[in-house]
Amino acid sequence: MLLAGEAWAARFEDYRQEAWRLETLPQYLVPQEEEELQAFRDGLRPDPASVSDDYIDQLRRQTREGRVKGRVHIVRRPLSEYLRFEFARYYAPHTLAGEQIRILDVTERANPLVGVQDFWMFDRTEVVLMNYHPDGRQINRRVHEGDTAPFIEYQRIAVAASVPYEEYVKGIDL
């Protein structure tokens, strides 16, 4: 089953305990980000504490409710322009709002999740596969019809092999 619109948005509102994502690409081409990405290219950096939007409001509320949202992003240095933008524009304020973001740098070691695609997992009972073109343009989102056990194991491996976002970015000029 493909997911879009309200059915997709409902996953982020309706999960009970945990929404978790694995990100594997060096860039995600999202047309809605082009203006902010250009501002980043021009040297503008948001103050993470002052960023406010619907996602952050939802994240703060869900954190207060005891629900967890987290992710691990697999990266390789040097960080792409998009990753530096994503770190500054999204990860910094989202971490302040309660998201548990971790980075798995595979520059100098083997990727323990080679071949695993991007996905979201909700309450460890549903997996949504995030399908992208190689350049980061999204193709679609599809509900995985099989067993979630492999994805739970991917999450365990990713979390164990990664470091918190805040630790990773110490000393990095974004």
Side-chain angles (χ1 to χ4, degrees):
M1 173 175 74
L2 294 177
L3 278 181
E6 291 179 13
W8 175 236
R11 298 309 197 273
F12 293 94
E13 192 56 49
D14 296 343
Y15 75 92
R16 291 185 302 273
Q17 295 178 330
E18 181 185 50
W20 189 86
R21 174 161 184 172
L22 179 69
E23 293 179 301
T24 66
L25 300 178
Q27 73 176 4
Y28 295 91
L29 296 180
V30 181
Q32 306 89 295
E33 293 177 341
E34 189 53 44
E35 190 175 309
E36 287 182 295
L37 182 56
Q38 185 57 52
F40 181 83
R41 288 178 181 129
D42 294 340
L44 297 175
R45 301 294 185 268
D47 172 10
S50 68
V51 174
S52 181
D53 57 33
D54 291 342
Y55 184 90
I56 288 175
D57 293 343
Q58 180 187 56
L59 182 55
R60 286 181 178 135
R61 177 178 50 78
Q62 290 170 334
T63 299
R64 283 192 308 272
E65 294 168 354
R67 295 194 277 167
V68 175
K69 190 174 285 179
R71 71 182 67 218
V72 170
H73 198 143
I74 300 172
V75 304
R76 187 176 299 277
R77 293 184 313 267
L79 296 176
S80 68
E81 175 187 67
Y82 182 84
L83 283 176
R84 290 184 297 108
F85 162 71
E86 184 177 54
F87 281 18
R89 169 56 184 92
Y90 297 108
Y91 288 6
H94 292 177
T95 299
L96 290 176
E99 188 169 352
Q100 297 175 8
I101 301 173
R102 300 179 66 84
I103 306 298
L104 172 51
D105 191 321
V106 296
T107 304
E108 298 176 356
R109 66 173 166 173
N111 180 351
L113 296 170
V114 69
V116 177
Q117 76 174 87
D118 285 44
F119 67 89
W120 273 98
M121 183 166 50
F122 299 94
D123 294 322
R124 297 185 172 196
T125 61
E126 181 181 56
V127 171
V128 177
L129 302 173
M130 307 294 290
N131 298 306
Y132 294 93
H133 291 284
D135 68 357
R137 287 176 295 129
Q138 189 172 73
I139 300 167
N140 60 33
R141 303 172 200 98
R142 183 178 298 278
V143 175
H144 175 69
E145 301 294 337
D147 188 5
T148 60
F151 296 90
I152 294 168
E153 179 63 6
Y154 299 151
Q155 179 188 27
R156 185 196 67 73
I157 292 167
V159 170
S162 62
V163 297
Y165 165 80
E166 304 92 334
E167 180 180 325
Y168 185 78
V169 296
K170 285 182 184 171
I172 293 180
D173 183 26
L174 299 177

